Amino acid sequence: PSIHLSIYLSIYLMTQMSCRDLFSEAVNDTGSTLVRRMEICVAEAEKRSGKNAVNMQETFTVYLIETRPMDAVAEGRNPAPDSLWRRYSEFELLRNYLLVTYPYIVVPPLPEKRAEFVWHKLSADNMDPDFVERRRIGLENFLLRVASHPVLSNDKILHHFLTEHGWKEVVYETGFQAKADSRIRALSATFRVRNPDKRFMEMKHYSDQLQSHTSQLLRARARVADRLYGVYKVHGNYGRVFSEWSAIEKEMGDGLQSAGHHMDAYAASIDDILEEEEHYADQLKEYLFYAEALRAVCRKHELTQFELEMASQDLISKKQQHEELATGIVRTFSFKGMTNKLFGQEAPEQREARIKLLEELIAEGEDTVKEKTVECEEHVERAWVDMQRFKEQKDKDLREALINYAVMQISMCKKGIQMWSNAKECFLKM
Amino acid sequence: MSVGTPRGLASSGQKPIAEILHPLSAAEEPLSVTVNLGGDKTTRVEFDLPEYCVWRRYQDFDWLRTKLEDSQPTHLIPPLPEKFVMKGVVDRFSEEFVETRMKALDKFLKRIADHPVLSFNPHLNAFLTAKDLNKRQGLALLTKVGESVKYVAGGYKLRARPAEFCAMGEYLDTFNQKLGTIDRIAQRILKEQSEYLTELREYGTVYSSWVGLEDELRRPLEGVAGCVTTCCGALEDLGENMSQDFLPVLREYVLYVESMKNVLRKRDQSQAEYEARLEAAILRKQEDRSPMPVEVEKCQDKVECFNADLKADWERWQSNKRQDFKQLLTGMADKNINHYEKCQAAWESLITLLQDKQTEDKTSETN
C-alpha cells in the first residue's frame, strides 16, 4: 500500500539556501513523479572512538538520521522519530552503490570529505565544529536530494540505509562492487570509442567547464574572503588608538572613546559575515561535485557505446572468418591462412568443426550485439532524461544561490553603513 | 585643473574677512598660486585694493613663514606642507600632488589670516599684494613691541617650568605619538584595501568568464560580475579619498606639533634668560646696590608677553584642532558610508532585475 507522504524539510536546515523553498517548489512542479516519503533529517553529530580496520584507535564523527512517516506529522501527531547513527563512510558506501546501480542518473554528491578552498581563518581540521556542522547540513541535503529523485527515491537499499541497522550486509549482498566498471576499461573506452552520441560529448565538455569554473570561483572567493578579513580587522586598531587618545583630551574624549568602540564592533562584524558566506561556498561546491557526477554518466555512455562497437566489430570479424572458411576465399590476412599455406590445408572434418563453432559463436555474438544495443540505447534514453532534469535543477539552484549571495552582500553593506554611521555620530559629538 | 573651494573665514569682530581663492592654473612653474582677496569684504585699511591676484611659488610661502617666525617669535606659526619631496617617489607635477599641496597652502594662509596678531603682519601684506616679492631687500617695517624682541639663541638653563607649560609639552608628545599611530593604521588599511581590490577584480572576471558557458544563468552571472565591478570602483574611490584628504591632514598636524614644540622651547629659553639675568642682577645689587637694570625688566616683560601669547595661541590651536579632527574623522566616516551605499545600490538593483525576470518567466510559464 502506498503511503502518501510528502517531503518535509528538516527544521534543522539553517542554510541561506532556503532548501525548503527549493524542495517544496519541486513538490509542486514535479507533482506525482516525486515520491512522497518520510520526513528525513540529519539531526546531530557526535564524536566517537573505536578500533578501525587495522585495529588502531581512531576518533570519528557519527551523524544521527531521524525519520518519521509524513502522514503522522501531517495529522498533527508527533511520534518520536526512528533514528540511527551513521558515519561519513557509510554515506560513501550508499553513494557508491547508487553510482553503480544507476549509471544513467546524475547521482547527488556528498559534501566534501576534507575541507578544501580554505581561507586562512577557516580550520582545515575535520574535527572542527564548524566543519562538522556544515557537513551535517550537507549530508542532510544529500539524503533529501536522493529521496526526492524520481528514480533513486524508490531504491530499497536507500530505505534500509535510512531505517535499518543491518543495512551494510544487505548492500554487500547486492554484489554491486563486482558490477562496478573498472577504471581502466572506462578510460580505454573514452579514447577508443568511435561514434559516441554528440549530445553526450557536448554534455561531457560542459561538465568539464562547469567543474573548472566552479573551482576557479571557489578559489577566488576564498582569496577575496581572506583579504576582506584583513581590511576589517585592521580597523580594530583604530579602536585602541582612539581610546588611548581620548585619555589626553577634554572635550573630544567622550566622542573619541565611543567611536573607538564602534570601530571595534566593525572589526568584529566580519566574522559572522564570512561565516554566512561559507554557505554560498557550499552551494558552489555541491555543483562542483555534481559536475563530476554528470561526467560519470557521459563516461558510462562512452563505455556502453564502445562495448557495442566492440561487439559489433567482433561479430563482423567472425562472420568474415566463417565466410572465408565456407567459401575458401581468403580476403584478409589471418594466421590460419598463413599456416595453411605453410603447412598445408587442414582436413575437411576439422574445417567442418571450425565452421560449426564459428556459427555458434556468431549466434552468441548476435545476441551480444542485441544486448549491447539495448543496453546502450536504454542508457542513452534514461540518461538524457535525467540530464535534462539535472540541467533544470542546476539552473534553478545556482540562480537562487547567486540571488542569495547578492542578499548577503546587501546585508554586509547595511551593517557597514550602520557601524560607520554610529562612529560618525560619535565624531560629531567631539 | 581643479579650483580650490572658496572658503569664507569665520573671523569675529574687527578682524578682516578675506576670501582667498586659489584657482590653480596649468602654469610653466610648479605651484604657481593665485591669491585673490575677496572684493568688498575686505575692511582692512592696509590693503589698498579690494582684490589682489598674485603668483607665488612654494619658496615664497617658505619665505613668508620664516619672516613670520622671525618677527613673531612668541606666536605659533602654522606649518607648511613638507618642503622636500623625494624626486623618485612622488611626482611633483601630478594632479593629486599639486592639489594636495594647494589645499595645505590654502589652509596655511587661512590660519594666518585668521590669527588676530599674525594677520596684521606686514610681511603677510607684502606676500598678498606685492607684484614682485623682493625677498632680498628688507622691507621697511614699523616696529612693534613684539617685533623688536629678538629670539636669543640658547645657552640658558631653565629652572622651573610652570606646570601648565609642562602639561602642554606632555600633551604634545602623546598627541604626536597618537598621530603617528593613526597614520600607520590608515596606511595599513590602504594597503589591505588595495590587495583586496586586486583579488576582487580577479573574482569578478571569473564570473564573467563563466557567462559564456551558460544560457539560463547568463543574466545572474553577468549581473554579479557587474556588481563586483561597481564595488571595485567604489573601493578605488575610497582609497583615493583617504590618501588625498585624510593622510595629508594628519601629517600637517605632525608638523604643527613640531612648530608648537619649537615655540615652547623658545618660551623656555626666554624664561631661562630672564632667570639668569635676574640672578646676576640680584647678585650685583647685593654687591654694589645698583638698581635693577632695564634689560632685566625688559626680559621679564618679554617672558610675560610670551606666556600670554602662547596661552592664547594654545587655546586657539586646541579649538582649531578639535574642529579639524572632527571634520577629518566625520569625513572619513562619510566616505566609508558612501562606499557602502554605492555597493548596496548595485546589489539591490541586481536583485530587482533578477526578480523581475523571475516573475516574467513565471507568468509566461502559466500562460
Side-chain angles (χ1 to χ4, degrees), chain B residues 63-264:
Chain B
W63 170 88
L64 174 64
R65 187 169 196 279
T66 315
K67 283 292 174 200
L68 285 174
E69 256 188 340
D70 290 344
S71 57
Q72 315 268 200
T74 63
H75 286 289
L76 173 64
I77 317 294
L80 283 175
E82 269 145 23
K83 188 174 198 162
F84 299 108
V85 280
M86 288 171 61
K87 287 232 175 107
V89 175
V90 180
D91 177 11
R92 288 180 305 138
F93 299 93
S94 78
E95 238 188 88
E96 293 90 41
F97 177 75
V98 170
E99 190 161 336
T100 307
R101 219 181 215 199
M102 178 182 86
K103 284 188 192 154
L105 293 173
D106 181 83
K107 248 201 202 156
F108 168 74
L109 279 183
K110 289 229 172 71
R111 280 178 175 147
I112 295 175
D114 211 15
H115 195 283
V117 175
L118 295 179
S119 63
F120 286 88
N121 190 292
H123 294 102
L124 178 69
N125 192 322
F127 180 89
L128 294 175
T129 60
K131 269 295 171 216
D132 277 307
L133 250 195
N134 199 333
K135 295 177 248 176
R136 258 164 275 151
Q137 231 176 47
L139 295 169
L141 306 169
L142 304 164
T143 49
K144 292 182 165 185
V145 173
E147 279 180 331
S148 60
V149 176
K150 283 287 177 208
Y151 162 66
V152 181
Y156 296 101
K157 225 170 172 210
L158 183 67
R159 296 273 179 76
R161 191 187 292 114
E164 55 194 324
F165 298 115
C166 282
M168 284 182 195
E170 278 167 22
Y171 173 85
L172 287 174
D173 283 334
T174 315
F175 183 57
N176 205 16
Q177 229 183 47
K178 299 310 156 201
L179 285 177
T181 308
I182 296 175
D183 187 294
R184 275 192 299 280
I185 296 173
Q187 283 194 63
R188 177 87 187 277
I189 290 179
L190 278 173
K191 176 165 169 284
E192 297 281 343
Q193 275 177 344
S194 155
E195 290 175 356
Y196 170 58
L197 185 60
T198 310
E199 297 296 350
L200 200 60
R201 278 199 234 274
E202 173 71 32
Y203 182 57
T205 61
V206 176
Y207 282 105
S208 302
S209 67
W210 190 352
V211 169
L213 182 67
E214 302 285 343
D215 43 27
E216 279 301 307
L217 287 176
R218 170 168 254 122
R219 258 212 225 187
L221 287 171
E222 269 172 354
V224 171
C227 285
V228 171
T229 308
T230 306
C231 291
C232 287
L235 192 60
E236 245 180 331
D237 289 340
L238 180 63
E240 238 176 68
N241 277 318
M242 288 303 281
S243 64
Q244 280 185 270
D245 295 333
F246 188 80
L247 287 176
V249 174
L250 273 184
R251 296 195 179 138
E252 181 189 291
Y253 261 86
V254 171
L255 295 172
Y256 227 149
V257 165
E258 277 309 305
S259 296
M260 188 56 117
K261 277 177 156 176
N262 261 335
V263 176
L264 280 174

Side-chain angles (χ1 to χ4, degrees), chain A residues 206 209 213 223 227 232 244 249 266 280 391 394-395 399 405 410 414 417 424 428 430, chain B residues 171 178 189 195 199 203 207 209 213-216 321-322 326 334 340 344 348 351 354:
Chain A
Y206 174 81
Q209 295 284 81
H213 283 112
R223 285 198 299 265
R227 290 298 175 197
Y232 269 75
E244 290 167 4
E249 296 290 344
Y266 179 73
Y280 174 65
K391 181 184 185 300
K394 169 210 69 153
D395 284 339
R399 187 200 167 86
Y405 181 71
I410 291 170
K414 284 190 174 158
I417 292 173
K424 181 177 169 180
L428 286 171
M430 262 165 54
Chain B
Y171 173 85
K178 299 310 156 201
I189 290 179
E195 290 175 356
E199 297 296 350
Y203 182 57
Y207 282 105
S209 67
L213 182 67
E214 302 285 343
D215 43 27
E216 279 301 307
K321 177 209 74 185
R322 186 169 159 209
K326 189 176 186 168
D334 272 334
Y340 279 118
Q344 184 178 336
E348 279 176 344
I351 293 202
L354 292 179

Side-chain angles (χ1 to χ4, degrees), chain A residues 416-429:
Chain A
I417 292 173
Q418 183 66 59
M419 304 257 159
W420 280 103
S421 299
N422 290 341
K424 181 177 169 180
E425 259 180 58
C426 298
F427 291 141
L428 286 171
K429 290 201 200 123

Side-chain angles (χ1 to χ4, degrees), chain A residues 253-390:
Chain A
D254 288 334
L256 271 177
Q257 177 91 302
S258 347
H261 290 149
H262 290 300
M263 287 290 99
D264 284 331
Y266 179 73
S269 69
I270 191 65
D271 294 312
D272 284 343
I273 289 169
L274 287 177
E275 201 186 293
E276 232 183 82
E277 248 191 51
E278 279 310 309
H279 295 296
Y280 174 65
D282 284 341
Q283 288 173 281
L284 291 176
K285 276 181 207 169
E286 195 192 10
Y287 277 91
L288 172 65
F289 303 141
Y290 250 131
E292 180 65 51
L294 181 61
R295 185 173 31 253
V297 173
C298 296
R299 284 238 197 88
K300 182 65 179 182
H301 164 71
E302 285 174 335
L303 187 60
T304 56
Q305 173 68 13
F306 176 67
E307 286 181 351
L308 172 60
E309 286 171 5
M310 292 281 282
S312 309
Q313 192 57 41
D314 189 61
L315 182 63
I316 290 172
S317 102
K318 290 213 164 43
K319 283 188 174 165
Q320 256 179 356
Q321 280 180 40
H322 180 267
E323 199 193 314
E324 281 168 18
L325 278 179
T327 61
I329 301 170
V330 180
R331 249 178 276 178
T332 56
F333 174 81
S334 72
F335 267 122
K336 202 66 195 165
M338 242 354 246
T339 51
N340 279 347
K341 289 226 157 76
L342 289 171
F343 303 112
Q345 288 257 346
E346 53 192 344
E349 302 87 36
Q350 278 186 314
R351 227 187 70 182
E352 281 304 319
R354 291 235 328 272
I355 289 175
K356 231 183 155 77
L357 181 61
L358 269 174
E359 277 166 6
E360 277 171 33
L361 288 175
I362 285 167
E364 267 177 40
E366 276 172 346
D367 284 338
T368 311
V369 168
K370 275 204 195 95
E371 251 178 63
K372 292 289 174 192
T373 308
V374 166
E375 198 186 315
C376 190
E377 280 173 4
E378 263 183 18
H379 182 267
V380 165
E381 210 181 283
R382 294 194 276 190
W384 186 248
V385 167
D386 200 57
M387 292 199 296
Q388 294 307 105
R389 181 207 59 82
F390 169 74

